[in-house]
Each structure stands twice: as structure tokens, then as C-alpha cells.
Amino acid sequence: MSGIGGTDGIADFDSLRRAMAENSEEPEGPARNARAEQLLAEAEKLSIPLAVIEALGHQLKVYNYSSEKDKMFVPFARLLRMWDERPEDFDAYETHSLHWVFKWMSSGMLDQPHVPLASIEKWLGEMEHRYRLAGHSERAVRSAEFSVAAHVGDVPRAERAYTAWLAADRDAMADCHACELHGQGWWQVARDRDAEALRLWRPVLEGEFMCAHEPHTVLASSLAPLLRLGRIDEARANHLRGFRLVRAMESMRGAYADHVEFCALTGNEARGLELLTQRPAYFTDDGHPRSKLEFMAVVALLMDRLTALGLGDQQVPGPTGRAWTARELAAHAREEALALAARFDERNGTAHVSERARTRMEQRPLVERLPLGVRTAARPTPVSVPVAAVAEVRQDGESDLPALIAEARRLSDTLQPNAIDAWAAVSRAAEGVELDALDRAEIADHRAMDLGPEGIGLFAEAAELYAEAGDPGEALAARARGAYVRALTGEVPQALTVITGLYDRVLALYAEDGTGVRQTAAVLMSRARILMRRVHEAAEDGAGEAVVADAETAAREVLALVDGQGEEDVRLAARAAEAQAMLAELAALTGDVEGAAKLFARASAAFVGAGLPWFAVEYEARLAGLAHHLGDIAEAERALRAALEHGGPHLEAPGRAQLHLQLAEVLGGRGLSEEAAEHALQAAHWADEAGQSRTLGAWARQQLGGFLLRQGRFAEAAEVLESALPDLNAETHGDGAVVQTQWWLGDCLSELGEHREAAERRLQAAEIARHWPEQHDHATLAHLAAESLGHADLLTEADQAYARAGALWRSLGNVHGLVRSLRARAWLALRVEEAEVGKDKAAELMASAVEECVVALDGVDDEDGQEARQRLTAELGHTHRQFGDLLARSAAEDAEDESIRAALEAALSQVTRAIAVFAALGDDALHSRTGAELAAGWLEADLGRPAQAAARARAVLTAYDGSGEDDEAARERRAEAEQMLQVVAERDTE
């Protein structure tokens, strides 16, 4: 078009129509509306009544699909006056359109609280009268009456109108099936019948019925009912699918509000804020008060959620002109929503709209946190006191310190995950209380464990207190723990010096019965851990057999000490399991992968057997990696599932994300895309929670998008992949991951019919792949981009992309790719070029494709094998067939023209060659041969040769003689052959 702001070229009715068609393709909004107003002014200059009628209709349509719905009434009033004065000025289409938009006026009035209810009722009568005069069913009228009754809360009248609506005949004035089903389902939700609503909506959700605004609104309306019914997976999918549809449509503020509400009800407050940021005008647009009411109500709901999470002072997006906190915006949005609701109720004479608004704003979350797969910030959480930190209190108000100590000791003796928290609670409760040396030792010991490197000094303090308490073995164990922490900080030589002395002392003490097995094992285990640290350092430096041997000896010494004593003491069982894991790690470092896997499995089983499954997680994850390396996918899967199960609530977010992602990859490799997608979804969620959205989260989203694509869930996959792309980069993830994501996204967009966008993604991927040593991906992407450009009617660009792909295929020696690019260019030539020039170029390109096949076949030798020859032969057959179709397509319909007959003869010649080529391939090409035979038959018929056409039809029937009814292709070919015989016979009798 000439531009939104211009009216160049509106010299006649045809140019006006072209301009209106172009404006219809522009994005919804004020700019498109302004252009429609300019076009109406231009139409009036043409002095053609129908031009003005069409321009008014165009203006009505763009107003209706925008935020300026309140402007519809003026052009409609003018159209109605023109109809009453001169109905003959309206053609059939505009007559239909005039009556159609009566419905828009009815709903439009209802959505404007300044229009009196009496006027709306009068309009219903006018609509009914005019529909009756025009011979239309009352179905649309009863639907409009239902909308009025439901809006004001008159349930008996709404039910009567609803019943009459469904009972009336569907005719040309009835809303499309999709819109009607949306309205019917909406009423079921309003009457608390969620399941029935979803049953009604199923055909729309599954794509059986659709229109300009469906399934957009049904997807949005389904979200809350699905959540209430516990169908959260469907709700997530509908959010991803639906938001993608409404995101760019200005007129869909109500549906957009449903998606914001979904975020508020599923623990996705951060995403809800992102949605608000994308549509700042929704806070202030006043052209459609009802959708503004819906939007402000869910804004209040979302802001209340943030405030409840302790984030009332957080900055949030809101109406322009000032900064807003969540608490301030909650108050503002509630005030706006209730003020709008009050205007409607004043007009309606009921309190129904206000009641519904309050109910919506007062909702509580339906799901604590629903992972969506798309990137989002970690969920804000309120500040709370950990349960383990709360001291037990007696009835007299005093802390029950002895009970706290007993519980903490029980937890630490059994190696429970929350033992350190329990000792912290003891420490707080013991402030100002005189404790004995043993209690103080254990408090200091566990405090040191909690602090890590900062607690080294506390280990020494604990040791002194243990000695004071008469437990010299535990004193040595505490010092040994301190030595190990020093090793973790990099001071391995110093730690070794310390542990050597402690080791000698504890063995001497144990030999004299001065300490027990538990304390001795603790020192020996600390020594083994320090030696393992030295092994890792040596491995990094390339040194190490003696170091490995020392560590192995230390681990085996632990095993020898605790052997057979784990049943009586869970701590000793844990020492034995950890020593097994050390031996596994040493085996892996020395290249004994199978041995390492067995030992890790043994260590994991030992921890689980001791009732300490959370300690097994690390080793099950290691086992999974080794099993995968050995090709034992079943064992890798088992180990990963076990790790997730055994980790349970004790798994930290990063580890949980890693395990879910690894399991997703394993399951995906087995073709279990649905379950793989579930784990990739969880991986993305936990990566976000861990603050790793840009790294691990991007990987997880990339994988999730691929798994969704495999399931044919293209809209969800596209949303997820688009969310992943900004975080994927060559430095962190590799350019292969970036290309794969663009590739998958292009496939999704192509399936969704977004061909221009698909071409852009494929070209971006091709540009990266252009620099790779191996060029097959580059060629494939260029070819796919060309397909998308062609579908987007960017024909010149498509031809250039096919030419680029063809050159790449040629350089790779890939004849099949080259031939297909030539054939595609031939078909494009018929669309791009002037008529005769296009035909000649198309034929030339198709002839080149034939020649490439022939040359390649001549070059096939015995080393290439029979399979390569058969593939090339089939390619030649398909090329001859397409050549024939192209020649036939390029012929005009004037069968008397000799040039046309010549084109049909040439087409028949090519198809006949295709038949011969396919025949040479035998039964493997049966369907291709019979398809070509039928095409030749129709050409024979067009050339006036009924006998030859009939002969070809009978040949097809003979070819399928004896084939079963379960062969769909055979059934279709037989049916077409029978049809051909019937057509030929009818022509003979004419």
C-alpha cells in the first residue's frame, strides 16, 4: 500500500478496493482506523454509492477489531439510512454485511454503559423486525437477547433465550460455529458448569471450527475452568497456544486479561508482569469499557498476589505518567474496575456486574506454581522462618531445651538432612543457658559444618569441648573434619600434614580401646576425602598413579574398619557406602568405566539400604553418565529416575534441573517425546528457580521446544523456542544449538502458516551454517527458507534462495537436492514471470532437472549400489511427471487453440515417460506409476481421445486387481479410474 498516512492512487473504484484490502492486512489499532477514515473520504469523491457503502463497511470492520469499538455506531447509522433510502445501491455482499453487523451493534451497545438499556431493548426489536423482513432465522436475534439477559444477570430470561437460540435454524446470519460454541461455553462457566463448557469448546480447541477470533477467545476462556478441574497440563498448553494468538491483536483485551489472570492463579506472577509490560495502552484505552473492566479486575488480582507475597513495594508496569508499586496499582485497578462495574450496574438496574468483578478480584491461587516452559523470573516468595528453626515451647512458655537437644542429636545420629537446622535451633534456644561441654561441642561442631570454610576455627573449638567432655576420639574427628574443609579451600598439603598426625593418634587410641569405631571411622574417612582431593589435583596436573593408590588404600581401610557393623550404626553404613563411591570414582579416573559403574551402583544401593536415599543421588547421577557412556540406556534411565526419587524435597534447584534435563535427553533418545517434554519442562522451571535461566534454562527450553515439535504441538513449541533463543549463544551453548533452535522454530512457524517469519528463522540459521566446514545443513536450510518464501508470496526472494540451495547441493554432489531445487524454481517461474516468458523459463528449468537426473544415472557404477540407482530412477520419474503437470498447468483453457493442444501433447509425452520410468522400478513404484497413468488418461480425454483415456483407466484397475480394501492409495486410484471411465462414457453420449 502507499502508506498508512497517504491516499495516493485512489483514482477509481478498483484502486479503492485494493487499498481497503491492503489496510485490512495491517495490524489492528488506531493507525489502521485512521487509514479507513481517509479511504472513506476518498470513496466519497468517486461519486459511486457502492464505493461509499464498501468504505463504510470497511471502517465498521476495523473499528470493531480495535480498541475504538465505540466509533462503530456512526458509520453503521449512515449505512442503515442509505439502505432505507436506496436499497438498490447495495449489492448482495453488502446487503449481507449490513444485516450481519446488526449483531455487532447489539453487542457494541451492551459494552458501552452510557447506552441506556431501553435503547438496547429497542434495538433488539429493530433487529428482529429487519431480520424477519429479510427472511432470516431468529437464531442471531435470540443469541443477542441471551447476551443482554446474561449481562444484566436475568438468569430466567437468559435461559429461555439460550434455549431458543439453540433451537432456531442456523442460517447465513448465525455466528460461525466457533463463535457460537464460545458463547455457549461461556454461559456454562457462568452457571458453574466447567466440564460442560469444555465439552462444548472441544471442537474449537481441536481446530475443527475457527475464525478471525477463534480459537483465540476459547483458549483464553478455557484457562480458569481447566485449572479448577485440575487439568493443569491442558491449561498450560492453552496458555502458550492462546497467548501467542492474542499477543498482537489490539482488540482482544478481554482474552489478554484471561491470560494475566491465569498467571496470577498459577504462581506465575512474574510472567503476569511481563504481559502487562507488553500492553501499556490497555490500562487507559476507553473505547471498550467492558474489556477495560475485565482487564483492570485481573490487574487488581495480580497486584494483590504480589502484595500477599510481601512485594507490595515492588515497581510494576502501570498507566503511563508515573511510577507504580504493586500495592498502589492494586488500589488503583480495583477502584477503576469497580467504578466501571458501577456504571454498568446503574445502566442495568442490577448489581450483577459489580458482583462478578469482586468475585474475580478475590480469587485465590488454584496451583501453587505451574511451570510453563517459557523463561520467567524465579517466583517471588515471602520471607518466612524455616520450620526447623522454631523452638518447641512448653505450656509454661519456656523453650523445652532438653527435648530440642534430644531431637537434634537423633537427627544428626541418623544423618538426617535437617540436622544442622535442628542444632541451630538448639543454639538459639540455649542463649543465656549454661550447657555441659558435650552439648556445647555438638553445637559448635554443627555450626562449623554449616559455615564451611568460615567454620574451620569452630572445629578446633568443638574438639576442645569434646576433649573436655571426655571424648578424645570425637575431638580427633572434629579436628579431622576441619582438616578436610581446609583441603576444600585448596590447602591440600597442609590438610594432609594435619590429618596424618590425627590418623596416627586415632589408630593408637582405638587400639587401646580409648575410642570407638564411629570416631575412628570419622578420622579415616576425612583422611580418605583429603587424599581424594589430592587425586583430583593430581589429575588436573597430569600426575598421579601413586596418589591414586594412596587414596584407594585409604578408602579400603575405611571399608575394612566398618565391615559388618553398618546394621547397628547408620553412620558406619554411610561410611562404607561413601568408601565404595570413592573406589568407583577412582576406577572412573583410571579408565575402568564398567568397574566404576558397578561400584557406584553398589554405593547407591548401600545408601538406600541404610535408609539414607538422599545421599545416593550424587552417585546415581554419576552412574547414569557412565551407563550412558557404555550405551546402557536402560540403566542410565533407571539411575536418573532413582536420583530424582531419592532426592525428593532435599534436592537443590540446580541439581534437580540437571537431573530432569538428563532424563529428558535419555527419554527423547528413546523416542518418548511426551514424557521427555515433561522432564524438560521441569528442568526449565528449576533452572529458572536456581537463577540459571540463561544457561541451563536455555538448554532445557531448547530441548522442550524440540520435544513439543515432535508431538505436533507447534504453537507451544514456537512459544518455548522463541523464549529460549535470546539466551542461546555460540559461546555458552555452541552455534549448533542456535542453528537447531532456529531450524525447529522455522518448522513450527511453517506449520502454523507464518511463512514469512519461518523464512526469516531459516535464513538466520542458514547464515550461521554457511561458515561450517560441512555444508549439508546450510543447503537444507537454504532450501527450506526458499519454500517458506514461496509460501509467503515473496517469489523473487524464493527463486534466489532455491538457486542458492541448488548451488550448494551441486557442490555437495547431492543430485536429489539439486533436482528438487530446479523443479521448485520451475514452478515459481510460472508465478513470477510474464506469461510466455514464465512458461519458457519454467520449461527450461524442468528440462534441466531431467538432464541432471539422466547425467547422474549415467554416472552410477557398481560401487554406488542398486539402491542409489533406484533412488535416482524414482527421482527421474517424478521429474518427468512434474514436467508434464507443469506443461499442462501452463496451458490455457481454450482447447481449440493449436498452441494449447501442443502444450497438452508435450505434457502427455512427459507423463508417458514418467510411466515408463516408474514401470522399470516394479511394485515399489506402483502407486507412482498408476498416478501418472491416470494423469495421462485425463490428458488423453482433454485431447479428445476417449478410447485411449479409457484404456489407461482400465490399466489402473488391472494394476490393483486383487488389492485389499485396507490399501487407501489403491482405493483412491480405483475410484479415480472408475470416475474417468464414467466421464469418458458420458462424453461419448453427448
Side-chain angles (χ1 to χ4, degrees), residues 810-822:
R810 186 185 295 280
S811 70
L812 291 166
N814 189 318
V815 179
H816 300 279
L818 172 59
V819 168
R820 290 168 190 178
S821 67
L822 287 167

Side-chain angles (χ1 to χ4, degrees), residues 324-569:
W324 294 89
T325 65
R327 186 178 290 103
E328 290 167 342
L329 185 57
H332 170 78
R334 178 176 287 98
E335 182 181 351
E336 284 255 318
L338 292 176
L340 283 166
R343 289 176 59 199
F344 280 107
D345 285 341
E346 183 180 3
R347 187 268 304 275
N348 301 338
T350 68
H352 182 66
V353 176
S354 293
E355 289 169 359
R356 287 182 61 85
R358 287 193 177 89
T359 298
R360 191 169 199 181
M361 290 187 287
E362 291 167 3
Q363 292 179 97
R364 293 292 176 264
L366 297 170
V367 181
E368 182 178 351
R369 181 70 191 275
L370 177 59
L372 301 179
V374 293
R375 184 185 176 193
T376 187
R379 183 189 182 187
T381 53
V383 176
S384 60
V385 179
V387 174
V390 180
E392 294 182 13
V393 178
R394 298 193 313 230
Q395 290 184 347
D396 61 6
E398 295 294 323
S399 297
D400 193 348
L401 188 55
L404 280 175
I405 293 173
E407 176 63 8
R409 194 164 283 147
R410 183 190 70 81
L411 293 174
S412 57
D413 282 347
T414 55
L415 299 178
Q416 299 299 306
N418 53 346
I420 288 178
D421 287 340
W423 280 108
V426 170
S427 178
R428 283 188 291 272
E431 289 182 7
V433 177
E434 187 69 28
L435 295 175
D436 63 31
L438 179 60
D439 293 338
R440 285 182 286 138
E442 289 181 282
I443 291 173
D445 202 1
H446 287 87
R447 174 66 174 155
M449 296 178 201
D450 190 28
L451 290 174
E454 296 177 4
I456 292 175
L458 276 173
F459 281 119
E461 180 182 327
E464 292 175 2
L465 288 166
Y466 280 127
E468 181 183 335
D471 193 340
E474 201 62 59
L476 293 173
R479 294 188 187 279
R481 285 189 283 273
Y484 174 56
V485 173
R486 286 189 70 179
L488 291 177
T489 65
E491 297 182 9
V492 174
Q494 297 89 330
L496 276 171
T497 300
V498 173
I499 199 66
T500 300
L502 296 172
Y503 169 75
D504 292 339
R505 290 169 62 187
V506 81
L507 287 180
L509 194 63
Y510 180 62
E512 299 168 356
D513 292 329
T515 191
V517 175
R518 178 190 285 188
Q519 292 81 359
T520 306
V523 176
L524 267 58
M525 180 54 74
S526 291
R527 177 172 176 267
R529 288 172 178 171
I530 292 168
L531 287 168
M532 287 297 295
R533 291 299 304 170
R534 190 172 68 161
V535 167
H536 287 294
E537 287 190 353
E540 292 173 5
D541 297 334
E545 285 188 16
V547 174
V548 169
D550 288 345
E552 182 177 346
T553 300
R556 293 192 183 282
E557 195 171 359
V558 173
L559 282 171
L561 176 68
V562 302
D563 184 38
Q565 302 187 59
E567 292 183 7
E568 299 176 3
D569 189 335

Side-chain angles (χ1 to χ4, degrees), residues 575-597:
R575 299 298 186 209
E578 187 177 351
Q580 293 279 6
M582 287 178 176
L583 294 175
E585 191 165 349
L586 291 170
L589 286 170
T590 56
D592 182 7
V593 179
E594 290 187 11

Side-chain angles (χ1 to χ4, degrees), residues 220-225 227-228 239 254-269 272 275-276 294-295 297-299 301-302 305 356-357 359-366:
S221 297
S222 72
L223 297 174
L227 291 173
R228 286 193 290 268
H239 170 63
Y256 201 96
D258 291 338
H259 287 281
V260 176
E261 176 185 54
F262 168 83
C263 294
L265 297 178
T266 58
N268 285 287
E269 297 85 2
L275 268 56
L276 296 185
E294 293 165 351
F295 182 75
V298 300
V299 169
L301 171 67
L302 177 61
R305 288 295 310 135
R356 287 182 61 85
T359 298
R360 191 169 199 181
M361 290 187 287
E362 291 167 3
Q363 292 179 97
R364 293 292 176 264
L366 297 170

Side-chain angles (χ1 to χ4, degrees), residues 16-93:
L16 174 70
R17 283 174 164 165
R18 283 194 299 272
M20 290 190 295
E22 291 169 353
N23 194 44
S24 294
E25 297 301 315
E26 292 294 323
E28 295 177 352
R32 187 171 74 156
N33 296 351
R35 175 63 170 159
E37 293 161 5
Q38 293 172 347
L39 291 174
L40 174 60
E42 292 298 311
E44 290 168 337
K45 296 176 185 176
L46 298 177
S47 300
I48 302 173
L50 185 57
V52 175
I53 291 167
E54 290 188 14
L56 285 166
H58 174 65
Q59 192 179 78
L60 249 175
K61 181 178 180 180
V62 299
Y63 283 156
N64 184 59
Y65 295 119
S66 79
S67 60
E68 298 180 308
K69 293 177 184 286
D70 53 334
K71 292 185 175 182
M72 289 191 302
F73 303 111
V74 172
F76 181 75
R78 184 176 173 188
L79 271 174
L80 195 58
R81 185 171 63 252
M82 293 175 72
W83 167 262
D84 289 338
E85 293 173 356
R86 290 180 56 84
E88 64 272 17
D89 288 341
F90 289 70
D91 62 14
Y93 179 81

Side-chain angles (χ1 to χ4, degrees), residues 929 933-934 936-938 940-941 945-959 977 980-981 984:
R929 177 172 66 80
E933 194 82 67
L934 289 166
W938 292 116
E940 299 274 23
R945 301 169 188 160
Q948 290 90 329
R952 292 187 182 278
R954 284 191 289 271
V956 171
L957 291 173
T958 300
M980 185 180 295
L981 288 172
V984 169

Side-chain angles (χ1 to χ4, degrees), residues 628-688:
H628 202 283
H629 178 76
L630 291 167
D632 190 347
I633 304 304
E635 176 63 4
E637 179 183 337
R638 185 209 63 76
L640 288 167
R641 290 188 188 279
L644 282 166
E645 177 188 350
H646 293 150
H650 310 302
L651 271 175
E652 296 290 334
R656 192 182 295 272
Q658 285 278 9
L659 289 171
H660 277 297
L661 184 55
Q662 287 177 261
L663 184 53
E665 291 170 347
V666 169
L667 293 169
R670 290 183 53 209
L672 303 175
S673 298
E674 190 168 337
E675 189 180 359
E678 285 298 317
H679 286 284
L681 175 69
Q682 291 296 327
H685 166 71
W686 288 109
D688 287 342

